[in-house]
Amino acid sequence: AAAGGGRVIVPPGEYLTGTFFLKDNVDLHLLPGALIKGSPDLDDYNPGDCFPQNEVFPFEKMTGAHLIIALEAQNVSISGRGTIDGNGGAFFHEAAGRAKLAFRNGKRPGQMIYFCECANVHVDGVTLENPPYWTCCCHGCREVYIRGVRINIPRIFPTADGIDLDCCRDVVISDCMIGSGDDCITFRANGKKLKNKDMACENVVVSNCVLSSPTSAFRFGVGDGAVRNCAVNNCVISNTRTGMHFVSRYSSWFERGADIENIRLSNLRMDVSFPFWISSGEGAAGRIRNLVFHDMEITAESGSFICGLPAMPIRDITFRNIDLTLKKTARKIKSPPYAVNLRESDVGSLGMIPHAFYAMHTENLVFDGVKVRRERELEDVYEAFHMEK
């Protein structure tokens, strides 16, 4: 970087390392057979307070340490056909009766690869695996290109997302294969720690990806900013709980929730438990509006949940040319009306919403060319569409 930039070539072999930084105009290029592996020793990583934008989440046992950091850098890239391994297994252990692994020593590093307030970011062709937390996070970045990346994460790794876009603008993600331990791709709006706190997550295109997750393939929301002007096209989702998850106020950690608007998702094939979960969240002041879902073939365990608030209804939602097959009867039936803060993670058993679509506190909800069929006779599915208020 001091010489103006260039390419750092990582040859075949295994390289154990703690934190290192990408600087301006540098391409980290991993040749086939190259493996960068995170150290199992937390002392080899950056401290949580090493730069102002960094954030520590003690409630998630996350220290704010990272394997690779690019901070306020320009023209940085990670490329090649090698592998970056976060060595997440070194920070977890199995615990009886738990669906996810438990934390060893009560803490772990944070995002494996962390781009913070960077411009012209490229991640191309590499394999990313075994992160101790989120895999690749872009926070407050502009002009981001992520192409041809494979992300392999054991499903039992806790809160191990694939790609997280937080307050990022002008982003293209394409031709990726992601199997995650949590959400595959997220669109977030949490700018509290950034220098540019008002930057929206906007102008994002995702296409030609194959996704699998024990939680959500796509999550929109989280934070008090805005997620807008995004498009998802031509993706396949399988073995996943929730296909599309929109939530304005994710939790009481956030004051008002995110504005989520002008989102279009098309040409998707999904095999999921819940196809669409669209919720304002309890106490939200953020608005959800102008979402379009069209040309989708869906097989699902359960129906979809669309729920605003009396004072903040969800507006202008369109489902067009949707072919939905419900696979089986719910094991338990929870009768409506449902609570406005209902989460799919709280449902317990799959298929507890006995409708193809359940909607409450919405305005201008449009169904055009939506087909609902049953794989076999489902006596408990007593209506395809249930609308309240």
Side-chain angles (χ1 to χ4, degrees):
R7 170 172 280 185
V8 176
I9 296 178
V10 184
E14 180 174 326
Y15 305 91
L16 192 70
T17 179
T19 302
F20 63 92
F21 286 76
L22 290 181
K23 300 290 187 177
D24 290 356
N25 306 314
V26 172
D27 172 30
L28 177 66
H29 186 78
L30 287 73
L31 294 179
L35 172 64
I36 294 175
K37 191 167 186 177
S39 169
D41 187 350
L42 277 171
D43 291 337
D44 291 334
Y45 294 85
N46 63 280
D49 60 356
C50 72
F51 54 98
Q53 300 97 320
N54 203 26
E55 197 159 13
V56 177
F57 298 130
F59 51 89
E60 291 188 326
K61 314 298 184 185
M62 191 274 271
T63 65
H66 312 283
L67 181 59
I68 302 174
I69 300 172
L71 176 63
E72 301 176 35
Q74 312 289 316
N75 308 322
V76 288
S77 60
I78 300 174
S79 65
R81 295 297 180 264
T83 298
I84 300 173
D85 186 330
N87 201 10
F91 303 97
F92 303 130
H93 67 89
E94 294 185 9
R98 293 186 56 158
K100 295 283 187 177
L101 296 177
F103 301 103
R104 194 187 306 276
N105 301 322
K107 54 187 177 180
R108 57 177 167 168
Q111 296 91 341
M112 185 173 82
I113 301 172
Y114 188 57
F115 296 97
C116 183
E117 297 197 269
C118 297
N120 195 19
V121 174
H122 291 253
V123 183
D124 187 355
V126 292
T127 295
L128 309 176
E129 58 188 22
N130 300 319
Y133 190 60
W134 305 349
T135 307
C136 181
C137 177
C138 298
H139 197 188
C141 295
R142 297 177 289 111
E143 299 179 37
V144 177
Y145 306 86
I146 302 175
R147 299 190 181 100
V149 171
R150 292 189 301 168
I151 298 179
N152 303 320
I153 309 172
R155 293 172 71 90
I156 57 174
F157 275 27
T159 54
D161 291 358
I163 298 171
D164 292 87
L165 305 174
D166 203 340
C167 301
C168 290
R169 179 181 299 149
D170 303 332
V171 180
V172 175
I173 299 174
S174 67
D175 307 298
C176 295
M177 303 186 70
I178 304 175
S180 69
D182 205 324
D183 305 322
C184 287
I185 299 176
T186 73
F187 304 70
R188 297 172 179 265
N190 185 16
K192 288 182 180 180
K193 298 282 285 187
L194 297 176
K195 291 181 177 179
N196 181 3
K197 301 183 186 306
D198 297 326
M199 188 168 173
C201 189
E202 62 184 346
N203 307 337
V204 179
V205 176
V206 179
S207 62
N208 304 330
C209 293
V210 178
L211 310 173
S212 176
S213 166
T215 53
S216 302
F218 294 99
R219 182 186 294 275
F220 295 80
V222 184
D224 290 318
V227 178
R228 62 192 178 214
N229 305 335
C230 302
V232 175
N233 177 62
N234 202 35
C235 294
V236 174
I237 301 168
S238 63
N239 193 22
T240 293
R241 185 188 69 193
T242 308
M244 311 289 164
H245 188 177
F246 296 77
V247 59
S248 174
R249 190 168 186 246
Y250 178 73
S251 75
S252 59
W253 307 333
F254 304 104
E255 183 177 348
R256 66 180 300 276
D259 291 325
I260 305 172
E261 56 189 354
N262 306 332
I263 313 294
R264 180 177 291 268
L265 302 102
S266 62
N267 300 318
L268 303 183
R269 175 68 181 93
M270 291 194 284
D271 189 346
V272 296
S273 298
F274 303 96
F276 308 101
W277 199 281
I278 308 171
S279 172
S280 293
E282 191 170 13
R287 62 192 178 192
I288 300 177
R289 65 179 186 177
N290 195 19
L291 311 182
V292 178
F293 309 93
H294 69 89
D295 296 292
M296 299 184 183
E297 184 179 348
I298 304 169
T299 302
E301 302 266 0
S302 176
S304 295
F305 181 72
I306 308 164
C307 182
L309 299 173
M312 185 62 68
I314 293 172
R315 293 184 168 93
D316 305 322
I317 311 298
T318 298
F319 295 91
R320 179 174 293 119
N321 298 337
I322 306 293
D323 191 328
L324 171 63
T325 299
L326 296 173
K327 288 199 295 189
K328 66 181 183 181
T329 306
R331 292 195 289 266
K332 295 180 180 178
I333 295 299
K334 182 177 177 63
S335 299
Y338 304 107
V340 296
N341 61 342
L342 179 68
R343 295 189 182 193
E344 74 284 51
S345 57
D346 296 330
V347 169
S349 298
L350 298 178
M352 285 183 67
I353 296 185
H355 320 279
F357 293 90
Y358 175 89
M360 179 168 64
H361 306 308
T362 64
E363 293 183 3
N364 194 24
L365 178 61
V366 177
F367 295 93
D368 178 10
V370 176
K371 300 177 182 179
V372 179
R373 62 171 59 88
R374 302 166 183 176
E375 194 172 74
R376 64 173 186 268
E377 190 62 29
L378 306 179
E379 296 179 357
D380 291 323
V381 180
Y382 51 86
E383 52 192 348
F385 302 92
H386 187 98
M387 312 294 168
E388 297 202 8
K389 299 182 181 179

